[in-house]
Amino acid sequence: MGNYNIAVVAGDGIGPEVTKEAMSVLTAIGEKWGHTFTFNEVLAGGCAIDAYGECLPESTLDACKAADAVMLGAVGGPKWDNVANAQRPEKALLGLRKELDLFSNLRPAKIYDALADACPLKAEIVEGGLDILIVRELTGGIYFGERGYREGKYGNEAYDVETYSEMEISRILKNAFEVAMQRGKKLCCVDKANVLESSRLWRKVAEEMKSDYPEVELSYMYIDNAAMQMVRNPKQFDVIVTSNMFGDILSDEASMITGSIGLLPSASLNGTNKGMYEPIHGSAPDIAGQNKANPVAAILSVAMMLQYTFHLSAEAEAIENAVTAVLEAGYRTGDIYSEGMIAVGTKEMGAEILARI
Ligand code: NAD
């Protein structure tokens, strides 16, 4: 039994609709297991621009820093498309990641038997289900490296530099090894070590660390091969760890093969497993306020919170099992609806999951 403080940044568009369902599920978990989850609802994104004139007010940042974990809905929308760059709603996410030092991004890609038809791959490739977790380095590498223009051999040229320190590599690998220990104990380090010096440093650090995790089977794969294997034989993967840019691409590829962005959660963690949890989808302005959004990604995000920040595995599993049971019972929001299924809205989907906790 514990007390947990959660900062809730519901955000814009469907963000508030889906986070509301996720909070209800957490409250039900608390009632069943005797935990107290306290929610501190704060503004970031477009709604914060409207209320305070800035996308990430100091008070929101302070609340997120003070909390044990952060639940985020989604930010942005057409209303704020013309806001100056520094205050774009999406900048709130970058600010939160930076200020909370969230360097490790966890993106599961799971195919539910009940939704196997939504997978664009041949049935035999994903038969028996698929459950991959991609651990992406989030605050280093080429997206944050030195960049600029200069006069080169052929005239004006631009450059972006990929840099990784041993410290940055070892902390993300530690995280990935620990996550692998909680799952299938297989870790694949994806890189381009045949070409890139920085990739060779990743391998060196991984080799030095692997004796600390003797139960984890460590392997390496080049990114080009990994992109191919992801559609050829994705079931071979358990946990993948990779750099910022490779992870950006590979995690989108993996999410695509599951068939729906309305189902996929994510976590971003710091060095002490404090984290920000959010669905991978955006604010979906086209369906906002219409009770059409799928709340499953947000609900599974709080399951990840229970597992990775609060280490409450049984409670996390109860949420995952409830989601599986609801999908097996045929309940579908519009994004995953197919003929013969039971069409429901956001609130009804949330209620069905809640009823199975
Ligand atoms: P989006 O993910 O919001 O929507 C893409 C499509 O998927 C839309 O048709 C939408 O209706 C559908 N969709 C998304 N989530 C769904 C759900 N839970 N249930 C049912 N259908 C769902 O991406 P977009 O349209 O490119 O972006 C819309 C806004 O969201 C933009 O302002 C963008 O910058 C922002 N955005 C925010 C985040 C974030 O907060 N993490 C991520 C991506 C995009």
Side-chain angles (χ1 to χ4, degrees):
M1 279 188 279
N3 292 313
Y4 304 99
N5 292 310
I6 298 161
V8 180
V9 184
D12 308 311
I14 62 170
E17 297 171 65
V18 297
T19 42
K20 185 165 180 280
E21 301 309 318
M23 283 191 280
S24 302
V25 167
L26 261 191
T27 302
I29 290 284
E31 281 162 9
K32 184 158 177 188
W33 271 270
H35 307 301
T36 306
F37 295 104
T38 308
F39 302 113
N40 183 10
E41 297 187 46
V42 287
L43 300 184
C47 56
I49 296 174
D50 290 349
Y52 301 104
E54 51 183 331
C55 64
L56 184 58
E58 203 64 37
S59 55
T60 295
L61 201 49
D62 289 345
C64 292
K65 283 181 179 168
D68 299 318
V70 179
M71 165 77 211
L72 187 119
V75 295
K79 182 176 174 195
W80 304 281
D81 273 352
N82 297 320
V83 172
N85 204 22
Q87 286 303 335
R88 297 266 319 189
E90 295 78 4
K91 292 273 174 183
L93 294 179
L94 297 180
L96 280 167
R97 282 178 191 162
K98 182 162 170 278
E99 292 293 326
L100 301 175
D101 204 17
L102 306 174
F103 61 82
S104 174
N105 185 224
L106 273 50
R107 290 251 310 243
K110 187 169 171 166
I111 294 182
Y112 293 88
D113 284 348
L115 290 174
D117 285 352
C119 172
L121 301 181
K122 281 187 188 147
E124 62 259 31
I125 295 178
V126 291
E127 204 177 347
L130 180 74
D131 190 358
I132 301 173
L133 183 77
I134 297 181
V135 180
R136 166 190 171 194
E137 202 289 327
L138 201 57
T139 54
I142 194 165
Y143 293 171
F144 294 92
E146 190 193 327
R147 71 193 53 196
Y149 287 86
R150 63 189 167 200
E151 203 49 33
K153 193 173 163 194
Y154 304 106
N156 189 33
E157 66 182 20
Y159 63 96
D160 302 272
V161 181
E162 170 97 337
T163 308
Y164 271 112
S165 64
E166 289 189 3
M167 183 281 286
E168 290 171 295
I169 299 168
S170 62
R171 68 180 184 178
I172 186 84
L173 286 176
K174 176 172 183 283
N175 195 287
F177 273 114
E178 282 171 5
V179 163
M181 284 296 289
Q182 293 188 49
R183 293 177 38 108
K185 299 192 173 62
K186 276 173 65 182
L187 179 61
C188 181
C189 184
V190 168
D191 60 28
K192 192 71 184 170
N194 49 345
V195 180
L196 300 178
E197 206 56 53
S198 53
S199 289
R200 287 192 275 273
L201 185 60
W202 276 69
R203 288 200 184 198
K204 176 174 168 279
V205 175
E207 282 301 304
E208 286 164 6
M209 289 175 73
K210 73 177 185 192
S211 60
D212 295 339
Y213 304 91
E215 287 173 55
V216 177
E217 182 196 315
L218 174 69
S219 63
Y220 302 97
M221 193 180 280
Y222 299 140
I223 177 64
D224 42 348
N225 187 23
M228 186 175 78
Q229 295 299 331
M230 190 63 78
V231 290
R232 192 167 168 259
N233 178 19
K235 279 193 290 187
Q236 70 186 284
F237 297 114
D238 174 24
V239 180
I240 288 174
V241 63
T242 189
S243 64
N244 201 342
M245 182 162 67
F246 294 160
D248 188 7
I249 299 164
L250 212 54
S251 59
D252 266 13
E253 185 189 10
S255 64
M256 186 58 219
I257 64 179
T258 69
S260 170
I261 67 169
L263 292 174
L264 296 173
S266 76
S268 304
L269 304 177
N270 73 3
T272 59
N273 289 330
K274 176 167 173 169
M276 181 160 87
Y277 296 83
E278 55 182 310
I280 71 158
H281 60 71
S283 60
D286 51 331
I287 56 167
Q290 300 168 44
N291 194 37
K292 283 184 179 166
N294 189 343
V296 168
I299 290 170
L300 289 174
S301 296
V302 296
M304 289 188 84
M305 179 190 290
L306 294 177
Q307 181 167 2
Y308 294 113
T309 292
F310 301 144
H311 305 294
L312 301 172
S313 305
E315 290 85 333
E317 213 179 307
I319 297 181
E320 283 161 13
N321 291 343
V323 167
T324 305
V326 166
L327 294 175
E328 273 167 10
Y331 294 96
R332 301 282 188 273
T333 43
D335 56 317
I336 51 172
Y337 181 77
S338 59
E339 219 177 291
M341 297 293 131
I342 309 163
V344 289
T346 311
K347 290 178 189 153
E348 296 74 25
M349 193 71 164
E352 291 298 332
I353 293 166
L354 199 69
R356 287 165 177 78
I357 294 291

